[in-house]
Tab-separated table of all heavy atoms in Angstrom:
chain	number	residue	atom	x	y	z
A	22	SER	N	-0.858	19.057	-11.145
A	22	SER	CA	-0.253	18.491	-12.352
A	22	SER	C	1.117	19.104	-12.628
A	22	SER	O	2.049	18.412	-13.051
A	22	SER	CB	-1.172	18.692	-13.559
A	22	SER	OG	-2.397	18.006	-13.379
A	23	SER	N	1.256	20.402	-12.377
A	23	SER	CA	2.536	21.075	-12.640
A	23	SER	C	3.642	20.575	-11.727
A	23	SER	O	4.828	20.712	-12.040
A	23	SER	CB	2.373	22.587	-12.493
A	23	SER	OG	2.202	22.956	-11.140
A	24	HIS	N	3.244	19.967	-10.600
A	24	HIS	CA	4.231	19.403	-9.677
A	24	HIS	C	4.236	17.871	-9.720
A	24	HIS	O	4.727	17.223	-8.784
A	24	HIS	CB	3.964	19.902	-8.254
A	24	HIS	CG	4.296	21.351	-8.064
A	24	HIS	ND1	5.592	21.827	-8.044
A	24	HIS	CD2	3.509	22.443	-7.920
A	24	HIS	CE1	5.582	23.139	-7.871
A	24	HIS	NE2	4.327	23.537	-7.804
A	25	ASP	N	3.677	17.328	-10.794
A	25	ASP	CA	3.699	15.877	-11.033
A	25	ASP	C	3.056	15.071	-9.907
A	25	ASP	O	3.506	13.962	-9.578
A	25	ASP	CB	5.146	15.391	-11.254
A	25	ASP	CG	5.785	16.032	-12.477
A	25	ASP	OD1	5.095	16.196	-13.488
A	25	ASP	OD2	6.986	16.362	-12.417
A	26	VAL	N	2.002	15.625	-9.317
A	26	VAL	CA	1.233	14.875	-8.324
A	26	VAL	C	0.210	14.040	-9.081
A	26	VAL	O	-0.855	14.525	-9.458
A	26	VAL	CB	0.544	15.823	-7.324
A	26	VAL	CG1	-0.235	15.024	-6.284
A	26	VAL	CG2	1.562	16.736	-6.646
A	27	ASP	N	0.553	12.780	-9.342
A	27	ASP	CA	-0.287	11.961	-10.209
A	27	ASP	C	-1.141	10.952	-9.448
A	27	ASP	O	-1.826	10.133	-10.071
A	27	ASP	CB	0.578	11.235	-11.245
A	27	ASP	CG	1.678	10.385	-10.615
A	27	ASP	OD1	1.692	10.260	-9.359
A	27	ASP	OD2	2.519	9.854	-11.361
A	28	ASN	N	-1.128	10.998	-8.124
A	28	ASN	CA	-1.983	10.100	-7.340
A	28	ASN	C	-3.064	10.886	-6.594
A	28	ASN	O	-3.414	10.589	-5.451
A	28	ASN	CB	-1.159	9.264	-6.369
A	28	ASN	CG	-0.437	10.105	-5.327
A	28	ASN	OD1	-0.042	11.236	-5.602
A	28	ASN	ND2	-0.256	9.554	-4.131
A	29	ALA	N	-3.567	11.934	-7.269
A	29	ALA	CA	-4.638	12.749	-6.706
A	29	ALA	C	-5.510	13.279	-7.829
A	29	ALA	O	-5.038	13.497	-8.951
A	29	ALA	CB	-4.074	13.915	-5.892
A	30	ALA	N	-6.783	13.476	-7.512
A	30	ALA	CA	-7.724	14.047	-8.474
A	30	ALA	C	-8.627	15.028	-7.743
A	30	ALA	O	-9.049	14.767	-6.608
A	30	ALA	CB	-8.562	12.966	-9.129
A	31	VAL	N	-8.908	16.158	-8.388
A	31	VAL	CA	-9.800	17.159	-7.811
A	31	VAL	C	-11.148	17.059	-8.510
A	31	VAL	O	-11.224	17.122	-9.737
A	31	VAL	CB	-9.230	18.580	-7.980
A	31	VAL	CG1	-10.088	19.592	-7.222
A	31	VAL	CG2	-7.782	18.646	-7.488
A	32	VAL	N	-12.211	16.876	-7.739
A	32	VAL	CA	-13.550	16.757	-8.300
A	32	VAL	C	-14.403	17.909	-7.804
A	32	VAL	O	-14.187	18.454	-6.715
A	32	VAL	CB	-14.200	15.406	-7.930
A	32	VAL	CG1	-13.385	14.247	-8.467
A	32	VAL	CG2	-14.386	15.275	-6.424
A	33	GLN	N	-15.355	18.303	-8.616
A	33	GLN	CA	-16.244	19.402	-8.260
A	33	GLN	C	-17.495	18.858	-7.594
A	33	GLN	O	-18.103	17.886	-8.059
A	33	GLN	CB	-16.639	20.205	-9.498
A	33	GLN	CG	-17.497	21.427	-9.179
A	33	GLN	CD	-17.852	22.234	-10.421
A	33	GLN	OE1	-17.582	21.806	-11.533
A	33	GLN	NE2	-18.440	23.399	-10.236
A	34	GLY	N	-17.879	19.478	-6.493
A	34	GLY	CA	-19.085	19.058	-5.808
A	34	GLY	C	-19.231	19.766	-4.481
A	34	GLY	O	-18.331	20.493	-4.033
A	35	SER	N	-20.348	19.569	-3.846
A	35	SER	CA	-20.610	20.161	-2.552
A	35	SER	C	-19.695	19.540	-1.500
A	35	SER	O	-19.567	18.314	-1.424
A	35	SER	CB	-22.069	19.933	-2.158
A	35	SER	OG	-22.272	20.220	-0.792
A	36	LEU	N	-19.072	20.389	-0.689
A	36	LEU	CA	-18.192	19.864	0.357
A	36	LEU	C	-18.978	19.058	1.380
A	36	LEU	O	-18.457	18.089	1.943
A	36	LEU	CB	-17.452	21.007	1.048
A	36	LEU	CG	-16.568	21.899	0.172
A	36	LEU	CD1	-15.780	22.878	1.046
A	36	LEU	CD2	-15.641	21.082	-0.700
A	37	THR	N	-20.209	19.441	1.628
A	37	THR	CA	-21.012	18.717	2.619
A	37	THR	C	-21.504	17.375	2.091
A	37	THR	O	-21.926	16.523	2.866
A	37	THR	CB	-22.218	19.560	3.063
A	37	THR	OG1	-23.010	19.897	1.909
A	37	THR	CG2	-21.774	20.833	3.763
A	38	ALA	N	-21.441	17.185	0.766
A	38	ALA	CA	-21.859	15.916	0.168
A	38	ALA	C	-20.683	14.988	-0.086
A	38	ALA	O	-20.849	13.774	-0.226
A	38	ALA	CB	-22.613	16.169	-1.142
A	39	GLY	N	-19.461	15.559	-0.172
A	39	GLY	CA	-18.288	14.732	-0.407
A	39	GLY	C	-18.215	14.200	-1.826
A	39	GLY	O	-18.703	14.825	-2.768
A	40	ALA	N	-17.623	13.025	-1.950
A	40	ALA	CA	-17.472	12.368	-3.258
A	40	ALA	C	-17.760	10.888	-3.092
A	40	ALA	O	-16.850	10.050	-3.103
A	40	ALA	CB	-16.067	12.600	-3.814
A	41	PRO	N	-19.033	10.535	-2.927
A	41	PRO	CA	-19.386	9.140	-2.608
A	41	PRO	C	-19.027	8.140	-3.694
A	41	PRO	O	-18.738	6.983	-3.389
A	41	PRO	CB	-20.907	9.204	-2.390
A	41	PRO	CG	-21.351	10.461	-3.078
A	41	PRO	CD	-20.216	11.417	-2.956
A	42	LYS	N	-19.014	8.569	-4.958
A	42	LYS	CA	-18.711	7.631	-6.043
A	42	LYS	C	-17.295	7.086	-5.950
A	42	LYS	O	-17.023	5.962	-6.379
A	42	LYS	CB	-18.926	8.305	-7.401
A	42	LYS	CG	-20.376	8.598	-7.725
A	42	LYS	CD	-20.509	9.210	-9.114
A	42	LYS	CE	-21.963	9.493	-9.444
A	42	LYS	NZ	-22.113	10.114	-10.794
A	43	GLN	N	-16.372	7.891	-5.414
A	43	GLN	CA	-14.976	7.469	-5.317
A	43	GLN	C	-14.669	6.786	-3.977
A	43	GLN	O	-13.575	6.267	-3.796
A	43	GLN	CB	-14.052	8.677	-5.492
A	43	GLN	CG	-14.010	9.242	-6.905
A	43	GLN	CD	-15.188	10.155	-7.225
A	43	GLN	OE1	-15.965	10.506	-6.342
A	43	GLN	NE2	-15.330	10.535	-8.483
A	44	GLY	N	-15.618	6.777	-3.057
A	44	GLY	CA	-15.397	6.210	-1.726
A	44	GLY	C	-15.689	4.722	-1.670
A	44	GLY	O	-15.930	4.104	-2.711
A	45	PRO	N	-15.663	4.146	-0.483
A	45	PRO	CA	-15.419	4.785	0.811
A	45	PRO	C	-13.936	5.066	1.034
A	45	PRO	O	-13.080	4.593	0.296
A	45	PRO	CB	-15.963	3.760	1.807
A	45	PRO	CG	-15.732	2.440	1.128
A	45	PRO	CD	-15.970	2.700	-0.336
A	46	TYR	N	-13.644	5.834	2.099
A	46	TYR	CA	-12.306	6.328	2.343
A	46	TYR	C	-11.760	5.838	3.678
A	46	TYR	O	-12.505	5.652	4.645
A	46	TYR	CB	-12.317	7.865	2.342
A	46	TYR	CG	-12.841	8.433	1.044
A	46	TYR	CD1	-14.179	8.787	0.921
A	46	TYR	CD2	-12.013	8.592	-0.058
A	46	TYR	CE1	-14.681	9.295	-0.281
A	46	TYR	CE2	-12.498	9.088	-1.260
A	46	TYR	CZ	-13.833	9.426	-1.361
A	46	TYR	OH	-14.323	9.916	-2.556
A	47	ASP	N	-10.450	5.648	3.696
A	47	ASP	CA	-9.778	5.301	4.947
A	47	ASP	C	-9.674	6.513	5.860
A	47	ASP	O	-9.735	6.386	7.086
A	47	ASP	CB	-8.366	4.777	4.661
A	47	ASP	CG	-8.369	3.526	3.812
A	47	ASP	OD1	-8.737	2.454	4.333
A	47	ASP	OD2	-8.011	3.626	2.615
A	48	VAL	N	-9.495	7.688	5.232
A	48	VAL	CA	-9.302	8.926	5.987
A	48	VAL	C	-10.062	10.052	5.286
A	48	VAL	O	-10.065	10.132	4.057
A	48	VAL	CB	-7.806	9.312	6.076
A	48	VAL	CG1	-7.630	10.638	6.813
A	48	VAL	CG2	-7.000	8.211	6.751
A	49	ILE	N	-10.697	10.923	6.071
A	49	ILE	CA	-11.345	12.135	5.549
A	49	ILE	C	-10.824	13.315	6.349
A	49	ILE	O	-10.753	13.259	7.586
A	49	ILE	CB	-12.879	12.052	5.651
A	49	ILE	CG1	-13.419	10.899	4.795
A	49	ILE	CG2	-13.519	13.373	5.225
A	49	ILE	CD1	-14.917	10.679	4.921
A	50	VAL	N	-10.456	14.385	5.652
A	50	VAL	CA	-10.000	15.596	6.331
A	50	VAL	C	-10.791	16.792	5.798
A	50	VAL	O	-11.170	16.825	4.635
A	50	VAL	CB	-8.486	15.829	6.140
A	50	VAL	CG1	-7.688	14.713	6.783
A	50	VAL	CG2	-8.121	15.939	4.675
A	51	LEU	N	-11.020	17.766	6.669
A	51	LEU	CA	-11.703	19.000	6.299
A	51	LEU	C	-10.735	20.159	6.473
A	51	LEU	O	-10.157	20.338	7.555
A	51	LEU	CB	-12.946	19.219	7.163
A	51	LEU	CG	-13.695	20.537	6.944
A	51	LEU	CD1	-14.305	20.594	5.545
A	51	LEU	CD2	-14.784	20.724	8.006
A	52	GLN	N	-10.559	20.957	5.415
A	52	GLN	CA	-9.616	22.073	5.448
A	52	GLN	C	-10.305	23.342	5.945
A	52	GLN	O	-10.627	24.244	5.184
A	52	GLN	CB	-9.004	22.275	4.058
A	52	GLN	CG	-8.285	21.065	3.514
A	52	GLN	CD	-7.140	20.606	4.406
A	52	GLN	OE1	-6.491	21.419	5.070
A	52	GLN	NE2	-6.874	19.317	4.415
A	53	GLY	N	-10.518	23.394	7.232
A	53	GLY	CA	-11.208	24.504	7.871
A	53	GLY	C	-11.979	23.967	9.059
A	53	GLY	O	-11.868	22.796	9.412
A	54	ALA	N	-12.753	24.840	9.680
A	54	ALA	CA	-13.483	24.437	10.880
A	54	ALA	C	-14.923	24.058	10.547
A	54	ALA	O	-15.441	24.358	9.466
A	54	ALA	CB	-13.455	25.566	11.911
A	55	ALA	N	-15.550	23.377	11.498
A	55	ALA	CA	-16.950	22.963	11.348
A	55	ALA	C	-17.651	23.085	12.695
A	55	ALA	O	-17.015	22.959	13.746
A	55	ALA	CB	-17.040	21.533	10.841
A	56	GLU	N	-18.935	23.353	12.646
A	56	GLU	CA	-19.751	23.295	13.853
A	56	GLU	C	-20.494	21.974	13.940
A	56	GLU	O	-20.900	21.551	15.023
A	56	GLU	CB	-20.733	24.465	13.874
A	56	GLU	CG	-20.035	25.816	14.019
A	56	GLU	CD	-20.976	26.998	13.985
A	56	GLU	OE1	-22.106	26.859	13.454
A	56	GLU	OE2	-20.584	28.073	14.496
A	57	HIS	N	-20.665	21.337	12.790
A	57	HIS	CA	-21.243	19.991	12.779
A	57	HIS	C	-20.740	19.281	11.528
A	57	HIS	O	-20.257	19.908	10.580
A	57	HIS	CB	-22.772	20.040	12.786
A	57	HIS	CG	-23.371	20.219	11.421
A	57	HIS	ND1	-24.091	19.229	10.785
A	57	HIS	CD2	-23.309	21.255	10.541
A	57	HIS	CE1	-24.460	19.672	9.583
A	57	HIS	NE2	-24.005	20.881	9.406
């Protein structure tokens, strides 16, 4: 918000569950590594 990024929202939830209510998504990215 302090940098006027108004086309993004941060939601609280499990990273492994995602945010299904706001989906589906064209692209999904994970900020870190995964084994599965």
